[in-house]
Amino acid sequence: MHLFFISALLLPTGSAFLSPSNFGNPWLSVFHRFATPPAEDVNDYRSQIPDNRDGDESLDTDTGFSNSVASTSSGASLTPQAKLAQQIRVSMKFGGSSLADSSRIDHVANLIKDQMALGYFPQAVVCSAMGKTTNNLLNAGEFALDGGQSGAGGKGKVNIDPVRTLVMNTLKDFEMENMSVLEEVEGLLQECEDMLRGVKLLQELSPRSLDTLVSFGERISVRVMAARLNQIGVPAVAFDSWEVGMQTSSEFGDATILPETSSRIRRTFENKIDPNTVAVVTGFIAQDSQGRITTLGRGGSDLTATAIGAACGLDEVQVWKDVDGIMSCDPRMVKNAVPIEKVSFEEASELAYFGAKVLHPIAMQPAMLKQIPVRVKNSYNPAHPGTVIQYRDDERLVTAITCKRDVQLIDIKSTRMLGAYGFLANVFSAFERNKLSVDVLASSEVSVSLTLDKKHHIDTQKHPLLSELKEVSKLTVKENMSIITLIADVERSSEVLAKVFSIFMNEDIKVEMLSQGASKVNISLIVSDKDLVRAIMSMHKEFFEKEEDQNSGSSSGSGSKKETKAEATATALGSAKKNNYF
């Protein structure tokens, strides 16, 4: 078993990273490139777009909100300005699955109206493209190049019928045929077709063109949402993000926010947008200084919402998903997974890095710097409070458990004498040349152990890395391994590990490697894939279910049969396979 420290690029507490006056800090570029390596070619970039788009908090510490909520005497008549001061100002973000069709858009529009009745005022509603629109636009780009057949050589065709049908059916369901939104949407669809005709003619679809192509999804989505909000009595106006001040670098597909963005957004909302009107803003897309459309890379829509929230000093950023906040574990694997009330920004970043579908770390940076709380809520269960990402003040031992499956564990041992210098430099240089991103590693004077996720697996027979390192080291690769990460109070790591190793001893689970992260909020263990579900189920029961079992055990009396350990494991394995976890 290897004992090591994780090598992860995380923000130092209190750093000037992505400050409102410094959104373009060079650190952001470094971190962003680390988190999302640039695509080697257009095909790689094209495949990243759907995942990038969605990516499935100074406050009063007693209330969780800033002191912008004014108190008034009972029965006093309030001016519009006083009413605004009483409201909790938020930005809300909704992903593509929440806007899949007319029924979902109607649900979200009424959810927004209901939230306003509860005292929340959405300064901005950030929307992704409807449903599978982004994928359909990418497919349209492929067809414009070659008609869907590789090597067809200029026999492309222009066809956006799936996009047009979805949008027109939605407008028809809302009886918007005679409204101005129809003309706007038709204009965007025509512009999209004109662009694809150019792609067909030139037989070229560059990253810049791809950014423009996929932007039509978000631009159409916000216009439909704003029109529906107006229909149900909520004053709303649709904006492309650059119209409210979003400006980025010119790295198409992976653009970073420029330093002046924060002040531009703030001035726009202060001087150009009616404070009583909901601004419905495109997520994921922006423009560079030359007016060319860009996309923001991983977590782009969430980043739009947090950038607006930080720039405007809002009370809260709300990210609406289809679960009751951040869960203690993947509910597909552990049926008793529970929502977590609060997590810190650092904990949320670790969860995202090690496999949980939480906000991408980049997307949290604006809110983290300004300490604006980010709340993850369930659009199917809006009454649930969800999870607040900001700080936590409880005494829990473990916050959550997450994992990465199918990693390679690589041991590299120097064949040179002890004390020979240059070994580590040779190893790291070889990984850099081969563009291999390491998850976790351990090193000593003459050996290195590390893990590669499935996107960076090496072929143990012919990968160039092997020939580069064989003269200075002996390399061993173990396949089918998993990283289990406990987001935990590392100051109590001895207590955590005592429980973990007691569980693993009873379950006969071998730990291949152990790590404590530099962030001081995670403990990671590498185990065999075949032991993963059993290990996580057992740890979840110990850290999250044991107290509940003790409280309910004596009062049960219903005579219902308890599930055995073997039955519970079989159930979890079946659920994991059914949900494509393996």
Side-chain angles (χ1 to χ4, degrees), residues 423-567:
F423 168 64
L424 293 179
N426 288 333
V427 170
F428 296 141
S429 295
F431 275 83
E432 182 183 14
R433 285 191 296 273
N434 287 276
K435 296 184 168 77
L436 294 173
S437 179
V438 174
D439 277 331
V440 293
L441 66 84
S443 66
S444 69
E445 191 173 11
V446 293
S447 66
V448 178
S449 296
L450 51 84
T451 64
L452 299 175
D453 68 22
K454 57 186 176 183
K455 292 186 294 186
H456 295 95
H457 277 191
I458 63 171
D459 186 330
T460 56
Q461 302 300 318
K462 57 182 181 180
H463 197 280
L465 179 73
L466 303 178
S467 58
E468 289 190 41
L469 293 177
K470 69 179 182 180
E471 294 183 3
V472 296
S473 64
K474 178 181 178 182
L475 190 146
T476 305
V477 179
K478 293 183 180 180
E479 306 281 357
N480 304 315
M481 308 301 289
S482 292
I483 303 172
I484 300 175
T485 298
L486 289 85
I487 306 303
D489 182 355
V490 176
E491 291 185 1
R492 300 169 65 188
S493 60
S494 297
E495 187 178 348
V496 174
L497 290 172
K499 291 178 180 289
V500 169
F501 280 106
S502 176
I503 292 167
F504 284 8
M505 183 179 65
N506 292 333
E507 296 288 341
D508 192 25
I509 296 172
K510 181 182 178 182
V511 177
E512 299 284 347
M513 189 181 283
L514 171 67
S515 120
Q516 179 174 316
S519 69
K520 305 305 179 187
V521 298
N522 88 62
I523 298 171
S524 293
L525 309 103
I526 286 74
V527 301
S528 172
D529 279 351
K530 66 181 176 61
D531 294 326
L532 175 66
V533 173
R534 191 157 45 94
I536 288 183
M537 284 187 61
S538 300
M539 287 191 293
H540 192 275
K541 187 173 182 64
E542 174 66 30
F543 292 115
F544 295 97
E545 303 171 43
K546 191 171 183 180
E547 182 177 346
E548 182 179 342
D549 289 345
Q550 291 172 342
N551 291 338
S552 61
S554 59
S555 60
S556 180
S558 63
S560 59
K561 179 183 175 183
K562 287 190 69 176
E563 192 174 39
T564 66
K565 182 190 298 182
E567 290 171 337

Side-chain angles (χ1 to χ4, degrees), residues 82-98:
K83 288 180 180 179
L84 279 174
Q86 279 197 310
Q87 293 173 325
I88 299 167
R89 299 183 308 136
V90 302
S91 64
M92 298 178 172
K93 179 263 178 176
F94 295 92
S97 61
S98 295

